Amino acid sequence: MNNFISNSTVVAALLVTLVMISCNKPTERQVEIGQIIDPAEVEFRSIEDISIDDVEGYLVVELIGRIGSCDHSELTFFGSFDNKTDEAGNLFVEGLGLDKVEDGESVRYLKTVSGSSFDINQITDTESILCVLESEIPSKYASFSESFSFPSSLCAESSIGDSETLSKNSDLVLTWETDEKTDVLYVSICTPGLPCIIKEFKDTGSATIPSEEFSNFLSGERVFLYMGRGIGSIIEQSNGINIGVIRVQWSNYPGLKVE
């Protein structure tokens, strides 16, 4: 009988200890969305290098069309979290899930959609896009489902016309339809190596690049011409970790040569 009482006392003490440990164990707090800063300044360094300062995660949505047309042929999404070290969860744009691309310890998100499989032009028609994160790390990243404004179609034209050549002896005249949501238009004119010209113009609907700027281009070289504008937003979280969402609309010439 005494052994039974003794054993019961030990068991009860263990249960009390376990309950106390459980009660004192810190709970993992979920992060919440604070405010969304819109618009936020977008840094444009090249076609491949578009970013927002002071964010730890980002999502970029790029809509690509052709100079000389208001239609678009391709939609690309890409992003990452904490310098590609976090698999934050599942990302969706307009209901389309981004693929997780793993390379060693790095993780990035990527998706490309063609006009044949998705009505791409609806994005510039509505000038909005739905972005969703289903977080798998709620202690660091909050889930969100937000519609963001999107730049209107450029409907860009140029003095090149249908010639498919960039003349070193002529000024390049560019025209496009303005957008009250954006202030700046970016122009990139680059050969596969160097030289490369990056220009920033006010979104007024027209710009001219003098022929002198093409003097270092080599005749016969391939050259890539892009015109674009973008809108950025910052999703502020309760833990101080911010997520950037960038929306860009590009128009380009798929194949040009220097003359």
Side-chain angles (χ1 to χ4, degrees):
M1 181 68 177
N2 288 336
N3 287 338
F4 175 78
I5 294 174
S6 177
N7 291 337
S8 298
T9 302
V10 171
V11 171
L14 285 172
L15 288 173
V16 170
T17 302
L18 290 172
V19 169
M20 290 180 64
I21 291 173
S22 177
C23 291
N24 292 330
K25 183 180 180 179
T27 57
E28 194 175 68
R29 298 186 61 182
Q30 289 194 354
V31 175
E32 297 179 350
I33 298 294
Q35 65 174 336
I36 297 178
I37 300 174
D38 188 11
E41 186 175 353
V42 176
E43 293 290 332
F44 174 87
R45 301 176 184 88
S46 70
I47 298 299
E48 294 83 15
D49 190 357
I50 309 167
S51 63
I52 298 179
D53 290 337
D54 302 321
V55 297
E56 287 73 24
Y58 71 90
L59 168 64
V60 178
V61 181
E62 291 186 334
L63 185 62
I64 302 172
R66 191 185 191 283
I67 295 174
S69 172
C70 294
D71 292 330
H72 305 86
S73 58
E74 188 174 282
L75 186 62
T76 298
F77 325 125
F78 59 92
S80 68
F81 296 86
D82 199 358
N83 292 319
K84 302 180 182 179
T85 61
D86 281 345
E87 187 174 333
N90 299 308
L91 274 173
F92 300 87
V93 176
E94 289 295 307
L96 302 170
L98 276 69
D99 299 320
K100 297 176 185 177
V101 181
E102 299 184 19
D103 183 10
E105 296 183 356
S106 71
V107 179
R108 58 193 176 94
Y109 294 78
L110 182 64
K111 184 83 170 183
T112 299
V113 182
S114 67
S116 61
S117 60
F118 181 78
D119 184 8
I120 290 175
N121 291 310
Q122 72 177 10
I123 295 172
T124 51
D125 291 342
T126 61
E127 297 185 17
S128 68
I129 195 159
L130 176 64
C131 302
V132 176
L133 170 63
E134 295 178 351
S135 177
E136 294 180 349
I137 315 178
S139 61
K140 188 171 183 179
Y141 303 106
S143 295
F144 63 81
S145 178
E146 298 287 342
S147 289
F148 295 92
S149 60
F150 201 91
S152 62
S153 180
L154 281 169
C155 296
E157 301 283 349
S158 85
S159 54
I160 292 173
D162 297 324
S163 68
E164 297 187 354
T165 57
L166 174 67
S167 174
K168 297 173 60 175
N169 302 314
S170 302
D171 295 346
L172 176 61
V173 180
L174 305 169
T175 58
W176 65 91
E177 292 187 5
T178 60
D179 186 348
E180 62 182 11
K181 300 188 298 298
T182 58
D183 299 321
V184 177
L185 178 97
Y186 299 103
V187 177
S188 170
I189 308 172
C190 299
T191 60
L194 292 174
C196 189
I197 298 172
I198 305 292
K199 290 287 187 181
E200 180 179 310
F201 299 105
K202 290 190 177 299
D203 193 356
T204 58
S206 64
T208 299
I209 301 176
S211 60
E212 291 81 7
E213 299 215 27
F214 307 127
S215 60
N216 291 327
F217 284 65
L218 298 177
S219 297
E221 280 280 328
R222 294 170 61 207
V223 63
F224 302 94
L225 169 57
Y226 282 83
M227 300 171 59
R229 57 188 170 203
I231 303 173
S233 302
I234 295 177
I235 301 174
E236 293 188 336
Q237 300 188 134
S238 56
N239 61 353
I241 293 177
N242 298 329
I243 299 172
V245 180
I246 304 171
R247 292 85 70 198
V248 183
Q249 196 269 309
W250 293 111
S251 289
N252 69 355
Y253 275 114
L256 285 177
K257 284 191 175 182
V258 179
E259 183 180 68

